[in-house]
Amino acid sequence: MPKFSTQMIPSVICFLAFALFASLISFKYFHLSYYDWDLAFFTQAMWNLCHGSQYTSLVGINYFGDHSYYFTFLLLPLFAIFPHPLTLVFLKIAAFIGSAYFLYRIVRRQQPQWLALSFMGLYLVFPANVFAIIYEFNIEAFAPVFLLLVFDYFHRQKYEKFIVACLLLGLIKENMLLVVFVFGLCGLFVRKDRWKWGVLPLAVSGVAFLGLVFWLIPMHRHLHQHAFWVRYVHILDHPVGFLSKLIFGNVQYISDLFGPLLVPAVFDPGALLFAVPILGQHLMSNEFAEHTIYYHYGPTMTPFIFLAASAGIVKLRQKFNLKVFVIFLVCLLGFSAFHVVRFIPSMKARLTVYEDNQDALRWAMIKKIPADAGVVASFCFLAPLATRQNLYSFHKIYDEFYQDPAKINRAELYEGSIFKLPEDARYALIDLNDFFFKRAQKQRPELTNQKFNEFMQDWNVIEKQGPIVLLQRRAQR
C-alpha cells in the first residue's frame, strides 16, 4: 500500500472541496433554489448551439450579442453528451477547484507548505469565491484558472504556454483581453524581448478587444454600440456624482472583496496591477451587482488578491523579526476566518429559497410540461426547463425594463419594444410568491397587476397548489 505523502495534501483538499461544493449545489438545484436566470440562460444557449442556433429565447438575443463567450465552443462536446444544467455547474466547480490548486502551486514557491495550504484553504472558502459558486452560472467561472496560468507562465518566462493561456483567457469574455493587455504593458518594461512579451500581446489583445466591443458584439445584437455601455453613461452625464461615488461609495465593496488580505496586499501590490481592468470596470459601473460580492464577478479578481497578499507576506517577513511576523500571521488568519464566518448566514440564505417542503410538488408540475413545448416560467423553474428551444421568463411580463417605454432603452437586454410573449409559449408555470414578483407588486402595483391580469386572460389553469400555478394557453380563434 503506497504511503501517504504531504505532497498529496492539496490534492485531497481539492477532492473534498469538490465533493462538498457539488453536494451543496446539487441540493440547491433539486430544491429549486436558483432565483435568477443566468444558469437557465447558459443552459439554453448551449442546448441551442448543439442544435445549430445562436438565439436564446429566454433573453431574446443572439448568445454572442451578450458577450464574446467563445470559450463556450470548448465546452459543447461535453454538454452534448450530458445536456443538463448541472453539467455547467459541475464544470464551474471543477474550474474553481483547479484554480485553487494552481494558486497553491504558485504560492508554494514563495512560502512554506503550511502557509501555502492555508492560502489554498482560505481561497476555497473566501466569501467572494463562495458566493460565485452559490450563484447561478457564467462563462467567467473559467477565468481564474487561466488568469493564474497566465500570471505563472509570465513570471517563469514560459512563452509558448503564456501565449496559449492568453488565447484561452481571451476566449472567455472580452474584458479578459484587457488583462492580457496589462500583461503586455508589463512585458514591454520588464522583459528584454519586448516584441514577444510586450508588443505582440498588446497589439493582439488591443485589436481584438476593440473589434469585439465596437463591432462584432453589437453586430450580433443589431445595435450601434455594446449593450452594456448603459452601465457607464453616468460617467459623462454626472461626472461629479460619479467621482464622489467612485471615491466614497465603494469602501464597503472593497472591504468585502479583499477582507483582511488587503493589509498584506498593500505591501507588495504588484499582482493587483493585473486586476485593475476588472476592478476598474466594477468601480465605475452603475450596476448594483458589480458593487457587491454576492454575484459571479469576484473570482476574476480574487486570484490577484491572493497573489498580492502572498508577495506582501514575503516583504513583511523581511521587514520584521520572527515574533512580530508570527503574530501578524496569526492575526491575519484569525481575521480572515472571521471574514468568512460573517457571511455564512448570507450563504445559507442563497442555498435554500423554499422551506415549505413542496419541492416534490413543484417537480411534478415541471414534469407535466412536454419536453419540446414552449413555456414561460418563474425564476425557480427556469433551469430545469432550459433544455428546449422556446423558454421565457415570467418576469418579462411585468418588469418595467421590458414593459415601461420610458425605461426600455436603458435595459441591457434591449429588444427595441415592449416584450410580448410569443405564441409558441403554450405552457406557464408560475410561482405567485416569487420574490421579484412580490416586490414588483409592492413597488409598482398598478403596472404589475395590470400586466398580470392581461396575461391571465389567455390561459386556463391546469393545476394549482397554493401559490404554484400550472397553466395552458387557450387556442387562438
Side-chain angles (χ1 to χ4, degrees):
M1 184 175 179
K3 294 182 178 179
F4 182 81
S5 169
T6 56
Q7 301 302 317
M8 297 172 61
I9 295 176
S11 298
V12 171
I13 293 174
C14 287
F15 174 80
L16 294 175
F18 180 87
L20 174 62
F21 281 120
S23 299
L24 288 174
I25 298 307
S26 295
F27 174 89
K28 178 183 173 79
Y29 176 81
F30 288 112
H31 283 75
L32 296 168
S33 292
Y34 279 96
Y35 48 84
D36 210 330
W37 61 350
D38 290 44
L39 177 58
F41 166 65
F42 284 98
T43 300
Q44 190 199 28
M46 296 190 73
W47 191 89
N48 281 342
L49 285 171
C50 288
H51 291 78
S53 173
Q54 297 179 13
Y55 180 74
T56 54
S57 65
L58 183 60
V59 294
I61 64 172
N62 184 299
Y63 176 58
F64 298 107
D66 189 41
H67 291 289
S68 58
Y69 298 128
Y70 298 113
F71 192 85
T72 303
F73 289 112
L74 302 180
L75 308 177
L76 281 184
L78 185 60
F79 185 84
I81 299 171
F82 305 104
H84 195 279
L86 285 179
T87 300
L88 301 185
V89 173
F90 290 158
L91 285 172
K92 173 177 74 170
I93 295 171
F96 172 60
I97 301 300
S99 69
Y101 183 77
F102 287 131
L103 176 69
Y104 165 80
R105 293 288 299 270
I106 295 171
V107 174
R108 181 67 182 90
R109 299 190 190 106
Q110 298 177 313
Q111 310 286 5
Q113 187 180 34
W114 72 268
L115 189 54
L117 287 172
S118 298
F119 258 60
M120 185 177 78
L122 179 59
Y123 180 84
L124 288 169
V125 297
F126 203 61
N129 290 337
V130 175
F131 281 118
I133 293 295
I134 292 175
Y135 188 62
E136 306 267 329
F137 176 84
N138 194 284
I139 295 297
E140 278 189 17
F142 300 96
V145 170
F146 297 104
L147 290 170
L148 286 163
L149 289 176
V150 169
F151 181 89
D152 188 34
Y153 295 145
F154 181 84
H155 282 272
R156 291 198 291 141
Q157 300 189 45
K158 304 287 186 179
Y159 183 72
E160 290 78 11
K161 293 180 178 179
F162 169 75
I163 291 298
V164 171
C166 285
L167 290 173
L168 291 171
L169 178 63
L171 290 175
I172 291 174
K173 194 177 175 182
E174 64 273 14
N175 61 346
M176 294 299 137
L177 290 165
L178 295 177
V179 179
V180 177
F181 190 85
V182 176
F183 274 99
L185 281 176
C186 188
L188 204 61
F189 291 101
V190 303
R191 293 284 182 263
K192 291 182 180 180
D193 194 339
R194 296 179 179 178
W195 168 256
K196 289 200 316 181
W197 291 96
V199 175
L200 187 60
L202 279 172
V204 173
S205 62
V207 170
F209 177 79
L210 293 174
L212 288 169
V213 171
F214 292 101
W215 175 61
L216 193 56
I217 296 174
M219 182 191 72
H220 283 303
R221 290 284 297 275
H222 305 289
L223 299 175
H224 67 281
Q225 64 181 16
H226 198 301
F228 282 77
W229 280 120
V230 296
R231 293 188 176 185
Y232 306 99
V233 294
H234 64 291
I235 297 176
L236 296 178
D237 292 345
H238 307 285
V240 176
F242 161 71
L243 289 175
S244 176
K245 187 175 181 180
L246 181 66
I247 297 170
F248 302 108
N250 290 294
V251 175
Q252 186 62 53
Y253 172 57
I254 294 297
S255 175
D256 291 346
L257 178 64
F258 281 77
L261 294 185
L262 181 62
V263 177
V266 298
F267 283 90
D268 194 343
L272 294 179
L273 173 68
F274 304 110
V276 166
I278 310 301
L279 182 59
Q281 166 194 327
H282 286 259
L283 297 181
M284 292 188 293
S285 173
N286 64 5
E287 171 61 37
F288 167 77
E290 292 201 52
H291 296 268
T292 78
I293 63 170
Y294 299 114
Y295 295 85
H296 62 274
Y297 302 108
T300 57
M301 293 170 279
T302 53
F304 297 119
I305 293 173
F306 274 78
L307 291 170
S310 177
I313 287 174
V314 173
K315 286 284 181 68
L316 288 167
R317 178 66 185 92
Q318 296 169 353
K319 285 179 175 291
F320 301 108
N321 62 47
L322 182 58
K323 183 177 180 180
V324 173
F325 178 68
V326 170
I327 292 173
F328 171 80
L329 279 184
V330 170
C331 291
L332 177 66
L333 294 175
F335 282 116
S336 295
F338 175 76
H339 179 61
V340 173
V341 170
R342 185 166 66 91
F343 286 100
I344 288 178
S346 296
M347 295 173 186
K348 288 182 178 179
R350 286 163 173 77
L351 281 170
T352 305
V353 172
Y354 296 112
E355 297 181 356
D356 56 7
N357 297 316
Q358 297 296 312
D359 296 323
L361 172 64
R362 293 184 177 92
W363 278 105
M365 286 192 177
I366 290 172
K367 292 176 181 178
K368 289 182 180 180
I369 300 173
D372 59 347
V375 57
V376 56
S378 299
F379 282 124
C380 63
F381 301 115
L382 289 177
L385 293 166
T387 51
R388 66 188 66 227
Q389 183 178 0
N390 301 310
L391 176 67
Y392 307 94
S393 176
F394 178 62
H395 89 287
K396 295 177 76 173
I397 301 294
Y398 61 83
D399 189 286
E400 58 186 339
F401 283 99
Y402 298 95
Q403 298 297 332
D404 185 348
K407 293 194 174 183
I408 285 175
N409 290 337
R410 290 161 47 200
E412 293 158 4
L413 296 173
Y414 171 73
E415 297 177 42
S417 61
I418 290 174
F419 173 76
K420 293 183 178 180
L421 187 65
E423 291 297 323
D424 55 36
R426 306 310 305 166
Y427 289 84
L429 185 52
I430 310 301
D431 176 9
L432 298 177
N433 280 344
D434 174 82
F435 169 78
F436 293 97
F437 181 58
K438 299 293 285 187
R439 185 178 67 178
Q441 284 184 313
K442 183 178 180 180
Q443 295 178 346
R444 302 176 300 277
E446 185 175 342
L447 174 65
T448 304
N449 292 326
Q450 173 196 341
K451 294 296 180 180
F452 178 70
N453 291 333
E454 291 174 358
F455 168 80
M456 289 298 293
Q457 291 174 7
D458 297 330
W459 299 81
N460 293 320
V461 176
I462 299 175
E463 184 176 351
K464 186 177 188 300
Q465 296 286 346
I468 310 300
V469 187
L470 177 63
L471 308 105
Q472 187 172 17
R473 205 166 197 169
R474 297 192 185 102
Q476 296 295 314
R477 295 180 180 179

